[in-house]
Amino acid sequence: MEPTAQDLEVERGAFRVDVCGHQFSVPTDQAEAADVEQFLARQLQPANARLRAQAAAAAEAGVAAIGALAHGQPTQPAAAMARLRRTRRRVSTALEAAEAPRLSEAAPMFEEEEWGPAAAGGIVRVGMEAVVGAMRSGRALGVECSDVVDGVLSFQVGAGSSAVLGVAACAGADVETPFASGVMESVVAAKNRHARRNPDVRHSWVVLLAPGRVRVCLAEFDAMHVSAVQKTTDRAGRALLAAVAAHAAFSEPWRLGSDPSMQWRPDIDRWEIECPDSDGASRVVYARRDPVFAADSFFGRFTRCFLVALGTDDEKFDYVLKDSWQLVGTGLADGELRDEVGVMRGMHAALGAAECDAGVLQRLLCGGTVRVGGAPDSTRLVLGAELDAYARWTVAHGAKRSTPTHRLHRRMVSGPVGVALHELRSERDAVAAVAGAMLTYAVILERTGVLHRDISLGNVLAVRGADGAVRGMLIDFDHAVPADDERNVKRPGHVGTAPFMSTANLEGLDVARTPADDWEAALALLLCLAARPSHRDALCARLASVGPTGVAEFRRDVFASRRSLDAAIDAFADPACAHALRLIRALHRAIFAHPSCAGTARRMLRGSRLVDPIVRRVQYAAVIHERCVAAVNEYLASTQSEALAAMMVLPKPQHSSSFSSLGSGSTATIQPPSKAGYPLQHPLLAVAFPAANGLSVLRNKRKAQRDVEASPRVKRRKMTHDDVGFAPINFAHPPPPPLDSGADSSTVVGDTHSSVSYTTAVPRYVPGTPLALVPRSPANFDALRAVEPPVVSSPKRRKLF
């Protein structure tokens, strides 16, 4: 859409551009241009009073130097030199340091003549070096220029995270309307490149140059604040350019955008990072040069993760440091923040250290708000309270738009260190890790009532213990909230990673998020994990797609029925991923085959009432959660049985190949499970591993059951509705016994803070119980077939469906 005349007029003055996630626009709720100019001028100064006086004197000398360059004068005006002598500052001008031939090269930068792409780099480099040369009493600054891309030249004044960035418009690019002309896109790209090279950056100052014109921009995590355009032929433009140079030469590094709590130590080739804790103390850890994870964009939370050690000479990097900028409400204390640090402290208090280790839950070593000069590091410190207070488009999730918000710099150290699922050697290990992580999630939900709300491929890691067993670990509780929290019930919104969001989350339905949404996210995770590498990106893109009407048609079609799921598996999945496909089908049956909310197709009932199974699913979230837990436990039990069967060892007969030749001293034995075997249930559920010699008994029982089911009389009885039903689910269980008491604690009570109680009971086949929960209609045929064991159809009774 073409910008209007009013939009262009806003861009010529001081204005704000919102940059966060997919948001990149000029908002309509702009502050007064004069206020933005005043706030930027205040921030464009050192915090220390002595340095501020030196920077002011240097900026005054810079104004005179730029004027001399613009007019090609060989000497500085006498009046400016007299003022410099009165200030007694050791400030030299650019003319005293530059040679005459270079002055002629720098002069075009301050003229209103068009720059050619070939000559732009030399003009800007020489001109900026001349301006910076007037600040010789400050730190030495170099100027680096890159190539011209789409008519825009990128350059940098200084080095490291405290460098001043710059873009120079040439070949028709315009800085008077930077958003409409596309110059702001170059600023965003330059800032992202700078952040990837310098993980300790907090914000940046950017200079926008054009022939005879200059602007200054402050880039922070949600927006870019741009000053009004000034002409370098006027004193106002020269003063702005000189102020930026003086700021770069004299201001404190943290004022320029560097993080003072994160220092590079070249003597040990590591980052020295200070991590705060809840008691006001801090702990120093040491990280490698490059982060193991960094956000693609600087704008937003700018999350980075480092492998850290606790000592300078420690070669074991057994912990992970996570650094991010969280959006929080203004006026909240550290103990009131509901971010990942607070959620993890609550989980550890509810579970205990022993259970956290058994269930492979990350242990929090330390964490809190980063402090700069004794004050909490936030956008209010970056921008000033006045500039940060004016309207921002982005708000904390669940908060009202009128609630003041800002970003707070949070940091935490936790362990153990996990590996990504795609780095595991076998598909079976990856699926077992996902299953274990989801059982850990189930226990967290039972004990604390917290929903994760961001289960994705990057948030499930694998940890191999000392016994060789692979277990899953759920990380990133940034979006976790209690199930009955107002942010989850009244304003759920869109939370999570798009390809793995539930249908209700992706479509933004106005219903509370439940455990069923997290289980659907796990189902999408397994589907993407099982996809062929050549089809994985296409599958993720289609799972994240939402149509013009706001309906996720592809996702609804895939999960509509067992037949549609099989069609998607045939189209995208790798047939070799047998374990993933088995668990996918089991979870799909548990989530989408509930009789009261089966499938995903919306139906129109009498009276023009539209019924959406996704919306109705909220009422049956507790039962769906139980069914999913049972499906995961059944999958782990089946894989354990297969492992036991593979470990059966029969000694070779000496004289005959028949089993009758085995004497009393040579008997068939079943080896006990190896240390790398998978437990039947999650460690936190405290279910004992069955005896190894029970396998033969189980096999005999299954054989006897098959013989009974083969009789015609049993086949006829299976079609009698009185013999098929669901076991009644009891929601009032007593508290489980302690895990070390030896009693069976497979039943877990729900969270006392939540209105919904979850148990581990599951629908079962119970002869003699009426089938009251399954209406006799064609729409529920798939749901009826989902009852275990499956109903055997008969020609005489087929008319019932």
Side-chain angles (χ1 to χ4, degrees), residues 238-483:
R238 300 171 191 170
L240 182 60
L241 192 57
V244 174
H247 184 48
F250 289 92
S251 291
E252 302 88 345
W254 67 267
R255 193 77 166 172
L256 293 168
S258 181
D259 187 355
S261 64
M262 186 174 176
Q263 301 291 333
W264 174 250
R265 292 275 305 274
D267 54 333
I268 59 175
D269 197 30
R270 295 181 183 182
W271 288 104
E272 185 179 85
I273 305 176
E274 181 180 351
C275 185
D277 209 349
S278 58
D279 56 358
S282 60
R283 186 164 190 166
V284 177
V285 294
Y286 301 89
R288 291 173 176 169
R289 176 82 186 186
D290 298 324
V292 293
F293 171 81
D296 296 333
S297 175
F298 165 81
F299 300 96
R301 291 189 298 170
F302 189 42
T303 302
R304 290 138 295 146
C305 297
F306 297 84
L307 293 179
V308 299
L310 302 183
T312 57
D313 54 351
D314 193 353
E315 297 299 331
K316 293 183 178 181
F317 293 83
D318 295 334
Y319 296 91
V320 177
L321 182 142
K322 182 176 181 180
D323 189 288
S324 61
W325 289 74
Q326 301 290 336
L327 195 65
V328 299
T330 301
L332 296 178
D334 275 6
E336 301 173 344
L337 296 177
R338 297 181 180 179
D339 64 342
E340 186 173 12
V341 177
V343 170
M344 291 191 67
R345 284 202 174 98
M347 290 190 301
H348 287 294
L351 296 177
E355 292 185 272
C356 290
D357 292 340
V360 194
L361 181 65
Q362 278 190 310
R363 296 283 303 275
L364 184 65
L365 184 65
C366 57
T369 302
V370 178
R371 306 186 74 84
V372 174
D377 192 14
S378 66
T379 51
R380 296 172 64 86
L381 187 63
V382 174
L383 302 174
E386 300 87 354
L387 186 60
D388 186 68
Y390 83 88
R392 302 166 68 92
W393 78 272
T394 181
V395 297
H397 181 72
K400 298 181 180 179
R401 185 165 291 274
S402 58
T403 303
T405 61
H406 67 286
R407 289 201 179 270
L408 197 62
H409 192 183
R410 301 282 280 177
R411 184 176 290 164
M412 57 177 280
V413 176
S414 60
V417 177
V419 298
L421 298 180
H422 63 83
E423 297 181 6
L424 297 176
R425 294 182 178 180
S426 68
E427 175 252 352
R428 177 183 174 182
D429 288 346
V431 178
V434 175
M438 291 310 298
L439 289 181
T440 300
Y441 161 76
V443 176
I444 292 172
L445 179 65
E446 303 289 350
R447 300 289 183 87
T448 65
V450 171
L451 299 175
H452 189 277
R453 304 200 306 170
D454 191 16
I455 293 175
S456 61
L457 199 57
N459 290 341
V460 176
L461 302 180
V463 177
R464 190 177 297 275
D467 57 352
V470 174
R471 293 179 179 176
M473 181 172 63
L474 198 59
I475 64 171
D476 195 0
F477 287 84
D478 277 334
H479 299 294
V481 295

Side-chain angles (χ1 to χ4, degrees), residues 80-228:
M81 291 297 297
R83 287 194 298 270
L84 291 180
R85 294 191 190 96
R86 286 195 298 269
T87 58
R88 295 182 180 180
R89 305 293 182 188
R90 295 182 57 190
V91 181
S92 59
T93 65
L95 296 181
E96 294 173 338
E99 300 176 356
R102 295 179 60 83
L103 294 180
S104 60
E105 297 178 10
M109 178 176 148
F110 310 100
E111 300 174 356
E112 298 186 12
E113 297 181 0
E114 196 67 34
W115 300 339
I123 293 174
V124 172
R125 183 176 63 255
V126 174
M128 290 304 300
E129 287 177 351
V131 173
V132 172
M135 318 299 166
R136 286 185 174 274
S137 59
R139 63 178 63 92
L141 301 174
V143 180
E144 299 179 1
C145 296
S146 61
D147 298 331
V148 177
V149 179
D150 296 332
V152 177
L153 170 73
S154 298
F155 63 93
Q156 177 176 310
V157 179
S161 57
S162 59
V164 174
L165 307 181
V167 294
C170 54
D174 187 13
V175 298
E176 289 196 1
T177 57
F179 186 82
S181 63
V183 174
M184 293 307 297
E185 296 181 9
S186 300
V187 175
V188 171
K191 179 56 191 172
N192 287 333
R193 290 194 301 269
H194 179 66
R196 285 192 291 268
R197 292 192 300 265
N198 303 276
D200 59 329
V201 68
R202 297 164 58 248
H203 61 276
S204 292
W205 289 91
V206 187
V207 179
L208 281 70
L209 290 177
R213 286 169 174 77
V214 62
R215 306 184 81 158
V216 174
C217 169
L218 176 58
E220 47 105 359
F221 297 98
D222 291 310
M224 292 185 293
H225 311 268
V226 189
S227 68

Side-chain angles (χ1 to χ4, degrees), residues 397 453 487-495 501-514 517 520 546 549-552 555-556 592 599-600 602 610-618:
H397 181 72
R453 304 200 306 170
R487 294 173 292 173
N488 182 64
V489 176
K490 294 186 177 181
R491 290 180 294 271
H494 299 274
V495 178
M501 287 182 181
S502 65
T503 306
N505 199 0
L506 191 62
E507 296 180 355
L509 300 181
D510 192 17
V511 293
R513 303 297 180 256
T514 64
D517 293 280
E520 185 182 342
V546 178
T549 59
V551 178
R555 178 180 285 269
R556 284 182 178 264
F592 295 100
T600 59
R602 293 175 292 182
L610 186 65
V611 177
D612 190 346
I614 302 299
V615 177
R616 283 180 59 86
R617 193 172 65 185
V618 178

Side-chain angles (χ1 to χ4, degrees), residues 562-581:
R562 175 66 177 271
R563 182 178 301 176
S564 60
L565 177 66
D566 290 340
I569 289 175
D570 294 338
F572 295 97
D574 186 355
C577 298
H579 292 275
L581 297 181

